[in-house]
Amino acid sequence: MRTFILRGCRAVPILSLMTLVTSYTLVTFLCFACVSKCVGPDRSPTAFRDGELLPATRLRTGEGPSYGDITDTEPAVLRYEALFSAFSRSLLGKRQDEGPEALKNNEGLRVENLQPGQTKQYRFSAEELKKSPTSQKLSVPPTAGQSPVPVKFSSHSELRRRQDKAKIFITLSICSQPGSVDAVISADPPPPLELYISSEGQCNPGAQSNDEEQEKRSAVEGLAKYSAERTEDVCIAVYAPRNSGYTGSYSFQIAASIDTYYTDFYNWSSLYLLDSDSQGGIFISTNLTDSSKSDVDAINTWNTGGSPFSIFVHNTNDSRLLGLTNSYCALNETAQVRGNSGASSNSAVEVGITTIGIGPNPTAKQQFYVPGLNASSSYFAFLGLSSNYSQSTQETATGGGILWRGFNFTTKTDHNCRLIYNLSFCSSVAYAVPSSPSLDDSPTSLGQRYDKSAMSYWQKFTYSLAQIPCDTEPEAQYSLATNCTSCSAAYKQWLCAVTIPRCADFSRHESYLQNRSMGTTGNSSETGKVYLNSSRNSMIDDDIKPGPYKEILPCGSLCYGLVQACPASLQFACPTDDERGNFLHSYQNPGGNATDPHCNVPGAVWGVSTASAPRPGLLWLSTLVFLVVAYHSGLER
C-alpha cells in the first residue's frame, strides 16, 4: 500500500478507504464521491497534476519535478479538506434549528411580521437571572414630594442572588395587529397574542407543547405580564392565534427583567381634562409635589427638570387601537396625537409645568395643551411615562414605558368658545371662554385680553384695601378669624371667575347653564332681558363680540367666601334669599357630583373624566371645602 502526504489537498474523486494513525488513536473513514484539488496555502493548485499524486519518497528526495510550493526541503504536513459534491456546503456543519433567541435583562426585543399560526421562542438564561439588579428605574408613578429623577432599587447582595431563586418579570406588548377585512362590520379586535412560559427544567413552550406545567397568558388590551421565581433558564414562546376575518400580521415587543416589568400599565387615571373647545383640549397630570405643605424647592426642581410625561390622544372612531389600549408601544407608534414622547412626537402639543389649583399650598403638575382636534368629536386620552425621561446613561428598568388608564372626552361643537391658559394674573384660569369665530386671536393673545381686564379691577381693589389697618395689633384688626391676606386671595379668585366666564356650547340644554349673548340669534322674545343678551363683563361684548353661548356660572361659595374674608367696610355683598332669581342669574349652587358640579371655580379640577372620578384628596383641596361650607352657612343666615 502506497503512502501519500497531502499538503493543503482536497480528496480526489475516488472510492477508497483511508486510514489515519495518530499517537493516540486509529481513525478509519470512507470517502465517497469526493471532488478535490490539491491546494497550497494560497489555495492554488500545487501537488496534483494530471491525476497524479506524488508519493512520499519523491517528496523526501526531491526526485522528479517540483510542483508549486511542494519541495523536498519542506516538512511533510498532513492537511485534508473534503468537498462533497452531493451536498451543499451551506448545510454542512450548520445546525438547522437555531433554538430559542436569547433575551437580555431589561432589553426589549422588537419582532415584526408574526403571521397567524406562527410561534417565536426565546430564552432568558440562568446567568441573566444571577445578575445584580440595576440601580435605575423610572419613577412609577411620581409620588408627592418626589424629585423628578429615577429612584434606586434596594438590591440583594450578589451572593444572596446566586444562592436564592431570582424573580423574573416578563412582558409582551402588541405594537400592531392584523386589520379587519371589513372594518365596517367588525367591531372586535383580532385574537390577542398568547404568551407561554416553560416550567422549571423544560424549554419547549408553545401552543403545541407537551409541557403540561407551562403557563399561559393572553394579552389583555395589548399587554401580557408574568412574574415568578426561577433558578434555571426560562424559555418563552409567543404564539399568534389563527383568525378569520382579519388580514395582516402582528408586531410585538418581548422583554424580561429581574428588576420590574419592562413596560407596565396602571389601571387608574392620572390625567385630568380641564376643558376643551372645538379645536383642542387642555389637560393636567396628577400632583407631582406634596399638597400638604408648601414646597417651593420641589416645584422649582420640576420646573428646571423638564416635563416627564407624554400624552396620547386618539379618535374613538379610528379602530387601529382597538384592543391595544394597555400597550405603550401601540400608542407610542399609532396614536394620532403623541405629545412629549421623544422621537415619536408628531404634533404641536404644548407641554409645561403648572401650579394651577386651589388651596393655600400650590402643587406642581404637568400641563398639556393639545391643538388640532376636530369639533364635536370623541377621543381617548392617555398619560404615559417614556424611558426618554431618564437622562441616566446606566441601564434603566421599565425602559419600555409606562401607561395609565385612559378616558373619553368630547370636544365642543360651537366655535364661540375658546381655550385660554397660562395667564400671568389669573393663573388658575385654564378653560374655554367666550370668543368669536371672526376673532383671529391665538389662545395666548385672547388670554391676555381677559387677564388685562381682570387686572384693571384688581388695581382698584388694592387701593381700597390699603386703607385697612392690616398690619396693626391683633386687637385692632378687623377680624380674629381672617386677615388682609385671606381677603386678597378670596377677592382674586372671585374676580377671575366673574370677569373671565367659563363658556359652554349654546346647543347644550342643562338647566344650570345660563344663556348669554342671545341678541345675535334674532330671538325677539329675549331682547328685553339684559342678562340674556349681554355678558357679565362689558369688555366681552365691546371687544370680543362673541356669538351666543352658555355660561357655567361661578359657584356662589366664591361670593360668600369673599364677604366673610374681607372687612365690612369694603361693603361686599351677595344676593340674598329674597333675591333668589337674581342670584341664579349670577351664581350657581354646587350640584351633581364631583365630576359635574354645575358651577365654576378657577383652578378646581371638576371633570376628571367620563371613565372615572378623582380619588378623594387628590386634587380637591381644603379651601374648596371651606368655601362650600361657607356658602351654605351664608344661605342659612
Side-chain angles (χ1 to χ4, degrees):
M1 178 178 180
R2 290 183 116 185
T3 302
F4 300 94
I5 296 179
L6 306 180
R7 185 182 186 279
C9 296
R10 298 185 183 181
V12 295
I14 59 172
L15 177 62
S16 63
L17 185 67
M18 303 182 67
T19 303
L20 299 179
V21 180
T22 71
S23 60
Y24 298 101
T25 59
L26 174 66
V27 181
T28 302
F29 59 94
L30 180 66
C31 177
F32 175 75
C34 298
V35 178
S36 75
K37 286 185 179 180
C38 291
V39 297
D42 60 352
R43 306 196 69 81
S44 60
T46 56
F48 175 79
R49 187 178 67 181
D50 299 329
E52 179 186 9
L53 291 177
L54 300 181
T57 54
R58 294 178 61 183
L59 290 175
R60 291 192 188 99
T61 61
E63 298 175 4
S66 173
Y67 297 98
D69 63 348
I70 303 296
T71 65
D72 60 343
T73 60
E74 290 184 295
V77 178
L78 180 64
R79 180 179 174 193
Y80 174 74
E81 181 182 358
L83 177 64
F84 293 87
S85 62
F87 305 97
S88 167
R89 186 155 194 83
S90 64
L91 297 179
L92 294 176
K94 181 178 180 180
R95 193 174 79 179
Q96 294 306 295
D97 184 5
E98 296 293 343
E101 186 172 354
L103 290 179
K104 299 296 184 181
N105 184 46
N106 291 327
E107 294 184 12
L109 181 63
R110 175 61 181 260
V111 180
E112 305 284 351
N113 197 33
L114 182 67
Q115 299 292 333
Q118 288 186 337
T119 299
K120 292 278 189 180
Q121 290 188 333
Y122 306 92
R123 183 196 300 268
F124 193 75
S125 68
E127 287 73 18
E128 292 289 327
L129 283 172
K130 295 174 183 177
K131 287 184 175 180
S132 297
T134 179
S135 61
Q136 299 293 323
K137 179 183 178 182
L138 291 182
S139 173
V140 284
T143 56
Q146 179 179 314
S147 58
V149 295
V151 297
K152 292 186 176 182
F153 283 104
S154 57
S155 60
H156 301 291
S157 66
E158 181 68 16
L159 178 62
R160 175 71 178 272
R161 289 190 61 82
R162 291 182 181 277
Q163 291 176 342
D164 297 345
K165 287 186 175 182
K167 194 164 188 177
I168 181 174
F169 301 85
I170 301 172
T171 53
L172 166 66
S173 300
I174 304 175
C175 303
S176 65
Q177 61 189 1
S180 174
V181 174
D182 191 341
V184 176
I185 296 177
S186 176
D188 298 318
L193 293 178
E194 297 173 358
L195 177 68
Y196 292 87
I197 301 92
S198 65
S199 59
E200 198 81 63
Q202 300 292 320
C203 195
N204 186 33
Q208 307 299 324
S209 174
N210 57 5
D211 183 357
E212 296 181 356
E213 296 183 4
Q214 71 174 353
E215 300 210 40
K216 172 187 174 182
R217 300 285 189 274
S218 293
V220 177
E221 285 293 317
L223 179 66
K225 300 192 298 184
Y226 171 85
S227 65
E229 291 186 337
R230 293 297 186 90
T231 57
E232 302 179 0
D233 290 4
V234 180
C235 291
I236 305 162
V238 178
Y239 171 68
R242 299 184 184 277
N243 57 71
S244 59
Y246 300 89
T247 180
S249 60
Y250 295 85
S251 66
F252 63 90
Q253 183 186 72
I254 184 75
S257 172
I258 59 173
D259 304 298
T260 187
Y261 292 112
Y262 182 75
T263 183
D264 213 343
F265 171 80
Y266 296 111
N267 194 29
W268 64 82
S269 179
S270 290
L271 181 70
Y272 308 97
L273 174 68
L274 293 179
D275 204 357
S276 72
D277 58 17
S278 60
Q279 305 174 47
I282 189 165
F283 307 81
I284 60 171
S285 73
T286 185
N287 290 335
L288 303 179
T289 53
D290 193 348
S291 62
S292 66
K293 62 182 180 179
S294 179
D295 194 343
V296 177
D297 291 339
I299 294 174
N300 290 336
T301 300
W302 281 105
N303 282 323
T304 57
S307 304
F309 295 112
S310 305
I311 190 171
F312 304 106
V313 179
H314 194 78
N315 195 294
T316 57
N317 292 327
D318 190 316
S319 62
R320 288 177 296 168
L321 287 177
L322 188 65
L324 299 179
T325 57
N326 293 358
S327 170
Y328 185 93
C329 72
L331 269 70
N332 198 40
E333 297 173 13
T334 306
Q336 294 166 328
V337 175
R338 305 187 292 274
N340 201 44
S341 55
S344 69
S345 295
N346 68 338
S347 65
V349 174
E350 295 182 19
V351 181
I353 299 297
T354 181
T355 56
I356 188 173
I358 57 176
N361 301 319
T363 59
K365 309 169 188 68
Q366 186 168 332
Q367 178 177 280
F368 304 89
Y369 171 63
V370 180
L373 304 183
N374 298 324
S376 190
S377 299
S378 179
Y379 291 88
F380 295 120
F382 301 85
L383 185 72
L385 184 64
S386 168
S387 61
N388 295 332
Y389 165 52
S390 173
Q391 302 300 318
S392 172
T393 57
Q394 301 182 34
E395 182 185 57
T396 302
T398 56
I402 301 165
L403 196 65
W404 282 263
R405 186 179 67 197
F407 60 87
N408 296 355
F409 72 97
T410 302
T411 54
K412 286 182 171 59
T413 302
D414 304 333
H415 298 283
N416 292 322
C417 300
R418 189 74 186 274
L419 285 172
I420 61 173
Y421 56 96
N422 289 351
L423 277 61
S424 59
F425 177 67
C426 292
S427 56
S428 291
V429 170
Y431 49 75
V433 298
S435 184
S436 172
S438 61
L439 190 65
D440 189 20
D441 267 7
S442 66
T444 300
S445 59
L446 181 62
Q448 289 173 349
R449 288 180 183 240
Y450 279 98
D451 212 29
K452 183 178 179 181
S453 175
M455 289 180 67
S456 67
Y457 291 103
W458 172 258
Q459 188 63 51
K460 298 174 184 177
F461 165 76
T462 59
Y463 295 152
S464 299
L465 189 63
Q467 308 303 315
I468 306 299
C470 296
D471 298 325
T472 187
E473 295 80 4
E475 297 80 8
Q477 292 183 3
Y478 68 90
S479 174
L480 295 178
T482 185
N483 53 41
C484 291
T485 301
S486 300
C487 174
S488 295
Y491 181 82
K492 181 178 180 179
Q493 190 175 42
W494 170 85
L495 176 65
C496 292
V498 297
T499 58
I500 309 179
R502 185 163 184 164
C503 183
D505 279 333
F506 188 72
S507 55
R508 288 178 60 177
H509 302 291
E510 290 89 340
S511 61
Y512 60 86
L513 297 175
Q514 179 64 62
N515 291 331
R516 298 294 190 193
S517 194
M518 289 187 65
T520 58
T521 65
N523 189 341
S524 59
S525 64
E526 305 293 349
T527 55
K529 300 177 180 179
V530 177
Y531 70 91
L532 296 178
N533 291 314
S534 61
S535 301
R536 64 166 65 240
N537 183 351
S538 61
M539 181 277 297
I540 299 174
D541 297 327
D542 296 339
D543 296 344
I544 297 176
K545 298 179 175 61
Y549 66 94
K550 291 189 177 180
E551 180 186 352
I552 301 176
L553 295 172
C555 291
S557 56
L558 295 178
C559 183
Y560 284 93
L562 171 62
V563 172
Q564 291 183 345
C566 292
S569 60
L570 295 180
Q571 298 183 359
F572 289 129
C574 298
T576 63
D577 292 340
D578 295 336
E579 300 168 320
R580 191 69 175 180
N582 290 331
F583 176 86
L584 292 179
H585 296 157
S586 301
Y587 300 98
Q588 183 57 258
N589 298 327
N593 52 54
T595 62
D596 187 14
H598 299 179
C599 62
N600 180 40
V601 174
V605 183
W606 301 105
V608 174
S609 72
T610 57
S612 63
R615 288 178 290 172
L618 188 60
L619 291 174
W620 285 76
L621 305 180
S622 58
T623 297
L624 178 59
V625 177
F626 166 76
L627 290 173
V628 173
V629 172
Y631 164 72
H632 286 293
S633 299
L635 283 184
E636 292 172 0
R637 290 195 299 270

